[in-house]
Amino acid sequence: MILVWLILIPFIGGLLCWQAERFGDRAPRWIALATMLLELVMVLGIWAGSDFPLPAQGATHAWVLEWQANWIPRFGIKLHLALDGLSLLMIALTGLLGAMAVVCSWNEIVRRVGFFHLNLLWILGGVVGVFLSIDLFLFFLFWEMMLVPMYFLIALWGHSGSKGSSRIGAATKFFIYTQASGLMMLIAILGLVFVHHAATGVYTFAYGDLLNTPMDPQVAWWLMLGFFVAFAVKLPVVPLHGWLPDAHAQAPTAGSVDLAGILLKTAAYGMLRFALPLFPEASQAFAPVAMTLGLIGIFYGAILACGQQDLKRLIAYTSISHMGFVLIGIYAGTELALQGVVALMVAHAFSAAGLFILSGQLYERLHTRDMRQMGGLWGRIRGLPGFALVFVAASLGLPGTANFVGEFMVMFGSFGVAPWTVAIASVGLILAAIYSLFIMQRVYYGPPKEESSLGGLDRRELALLFGIVALVIFFGVYPQPLLETSAGAMQVVQQSVQQAGAMMGGAQ
Amino acid sequence: MMAALMAISPLILVCLTVIVVMLSIAWRRHHALSAILTAVGLNAALLALLFGWSQGTVAVTDLLVVDDLARFGGVLVLMSTLACVTLAHHYLEGYEGPRDEFYLLLTSAAAGGLVLVSARHMATLFFGIELLSMPLFGMLAYTLRDRGALESGIKYMVLSAAATAFLLFGMALLYAMTGTLDFDALGQALATQGSDPWLLAGAGLLLVGLAFKLSIVPFHLWTPDVYQGGPGPATTFLATASKVAVFLVLLRLFQSALALHENWWHDLLGFIAVVTMLVGNLLALTQNDLKRLLGYSSIAHFGYLLVALVVNDGLAVETVGVYLVTYVITTLGAFGVVTLVSSPYTPTGGSADASPLHHYRGLFWRRPYLTAVMTVSMLSLAGIPFTAGFIGKFYIIAVGVEAHRWWLVGAVVLGSAIGLYYYLRVMVTLFLHEPGMQSRDATHDWAERAGGMVVLGVATLVILLGLYPTPMIDWVHWVAGNSAY
């Protein structure tokens, strides 16, 4: 039942925020913060209160908590929620970044505060739903539902773009991309259900039942592609990434933090939870293509990042580059690589959120995100450039930060499977260093445009940034808690990949 | 005899309502009284429908057969008529001309809808369609001092007459070749001598006539103009009750008389379905007028519905049922808001309907709940999860996937993606605030009026059915199971 509350709390909190607006602007902010902290405390409570055993050989899941109720018996659809180490980490991340998003928009959002927090919390509620649902119908519902508040967030509180691109245009692009690809997934889900129905005579959307559905390799290939397209748009994988830079550039800071920190992770989560275990053979056959796409993403994102003038667009392109590593790790399928993917996702959530929060704070002070207008800020803002240096270092994967752990594990784990891919991908790390230094050079060093001081950071901002820095360094030095928690869930994925590999090897 | 009377008692009650309201108008004109009498009569008919549910299939002569599908259609027609009554009462409150006759027209049209859903014979089909359409001419042109309304009424009349001509010609050809007008007998004749060109021409012309009413491409040209010009309640009726009744009779035709199981037939229909969804959605993209936009969107929605008719197997009947329910309540919500915001002939309203999109700018900051209803309706029309519209779309995709009609499913996805663009545009317009804009507003007491309550109730229903669709699915599943041929 606690799983249901994890989903409901953000939704209820959102409604409260909306209604609390009549008591002034501060009430919704505090309610939203309290809601997200409550969510976080509940997740941490579950984390502390349960252990995450490694699954037995051949087990298809590693659930720690499970809850289900009948919903639409006609098609065997149930309200079926379950939590394992992976989903727990992701929900904890959601709670944490949710709280950060509320704090970082404390001064930024001044109009329609209640409605803003309603949308913010509903996104987070939808994301938690995505991480918990293991009925495919329910999963799809949450997957699509979280787009609506995100759309409003970008369209109503976004910044109008630098080159005449409007925030509504960006929001619409985001929505259409993700919704259309989501419908592909719906078709694939229905295809899977009807294949299962043809084989067993039972309609079901339950993850556990649909695993190991016997099907023709050709059919499996198409269905897998349906899932992959939906996840690839959200991740984003390069030919399908068109919405991301626009959405990030126009979104308010809280929107960017959620988008980069959590929404992108739902895609990686979906691949780990659904695309790989449901279609192990087809995914195995698809792996070279996916890894190549990942490689293209690494270079494409990094090279385009170097050419951006808009700070938030630059960070958005670096996200594409980082997600390329995630994609390679997922399709490498070894336990080490999969664990690295989890570490990298958490690390990227922190470093991207940190960078977006910093660019939001710069925007509050300078009212521009154009890097040509910046330069020489090191002397003009106390404190902020130092934090920027930490996050930039994390983003380029400096040892001692969590990003290094993730990238290192992904590459180490993938090397045995695809040595050339890893060799080429490591060149991408050099590009990462280049664009990271570009950020520092263009924004903080060089001749200042003006001499006047822009003031320092206030206590709220300091606490926020110190928190993220502490987490980045803590998990960089001691990633063991993350790895132990997700080990069980990742072993399940790895075993299904391994079996598929063995079967394919046997067939050959 | 008694069973037959029981079975058509809803129809009888609706006709009685027409007479009672007419007499009451003759005795004394009183707007509220006419509206209340109409609502009472329609509710009585609805109750009679529900009581008749235990009877099963009753043949009231060869012409009318009341089965569960007919009762299902009857419920939808009566419910939407009731909603139109409440909206009309609100809409016509300040109208200077005669107000009461609108209810007469509305109720007669509802009677036509009831006939149509239980038709099993070309004669009743024709009778039902005419009884449904004739009053609509009057309703659409009811506020005849308004240019748009008059234009819309006349346009609908002329094109409807053309459609009737097609319909009659098709029936004549069918009768000439087979000597029967009964659906089932026609179906047998078509099965045995299906490739006869005259027979096919007859069936084709029949379809053209019905396609006019459903505004299926290429017979959709009247839709945007009529939707835009007609008074709110009349357009609402046209978009809901009228289309539901015609579509249900089309479904019946497909199950009996036109049940051709040949590939070219399915391919042709599939092609029409694809063209209908794409044309509807693409033309809606550039509209700056909310009622026109809704008109084009309804074209697209009937394109989606055609997918079920193309498949005509397995889940098809259930899909049609579920989709019609979700479409009707969603459309009632959207048009209800349009009607309430229009409120012409009141101090806050203008002279005609609030149909240009810029009238709705920033409505959220003036009327949050009304905007919530509109937002929910738009999300539901776009088929976003947790609204009823998603359940409908889920069924359409499911029926396509089940029958392996990948092109159709792909077109549905493409259509939905295009559709999103304009639904989102409407949605975001509601929230954008630009100071100094001349904007329309609902009357202050809208929520306490019957029309406002209906609109709020409909929106709640959209959300509830999106969250827990099981009762609806079970009901429609049962109806579909009982009326299998």
Side-chain angles (χ1 to χ4, degrees), chain A residues 71 74 112 141 179 187, chain B residues 318 365 390 409 420 467 470:
Chain A
W71 189 18
R74 168 88 178 90
R112 312 154 198 163
L141 248 58
Q179 160 88 15
I187 294 173
Chain B
E318 206 176 323
W365 313 109
F390 173 70
V409 176
L420 268 180
L467 285 175
T470 307

Side-chain angles (χ1 to χ4, degrees), chain B residues 260-420:
Chain B
L260 284 177
H261 292 292
E262 286 177 54
N263 277 335
W264 66 268
W265 175 248
H266 289 289
D267 290 343
L268 177 71
L269 277 173
F271 177 71
I272 293 176
V274 170
V275 170
T276 304
M277 358 177 162
L278 292 186
V279 166
N281 277 320
L282 285 173
L283 289 180
L285 281 183
T286 54
Q287 299 305 319
N288 283 318
D289 186 296
L290 185 55
K291 282 168 90 184
R292 277 184 94 84
L293 189 148
L294 286 172
Y296 281 117
S297 120
S298 86
I299 296 176
H301 278 279
F302 277 86
Y304 301 148
L305 255 175
L306 277 184
V307 173
L309 286 192
V310 175
V311 172
N312 206 5
D313 192 20
L315 283 173
V317 178
E318 206 176 323
T319 304
V320 170
V322 169
Y323 203 89
L324 282 179
V325 173
T326 59
Y327 173 77
V328 161
I329 53 175
T330 308
T331 311
L332 281 179
F335 275 107
V337 176
V338 171
T339 310
L340 288 180
V341 172
S342 300
S343 304
Y345 322 112
T346 58
T348 53
S351 60
D353 281 22
S355 128
L357 202 50
H358 66 78
H359 281 170
Y360 294 83
R361 258 181 176 267
L363 187 70
F364 181 71
W365 313 109
R366 287 172 276 141
R367 295 266 172 261
Y369 291 100
L370 208 51
T371 310
V373 173
M374 192 63 163
T375 310
V376 166
S377 305
M378 284 296 139
L379 289 176
S380 179
L381 282 175
I384 305 295
F386 295 119
T387 59
F390 173 70
I391 306 297
K393 188 152 283 172
F394 172 77
Y395 260 96
I396 293 286
I397 294 183
V399 86
V401 170
E402 191 191 22
H404 302 283
R405 300 234 164 231
W406 302 113
W407 284 108
L408 279 177
V409 176
V412 171
V413 170
L414 185 63
S416 314
I418 302 171
L420 268 180

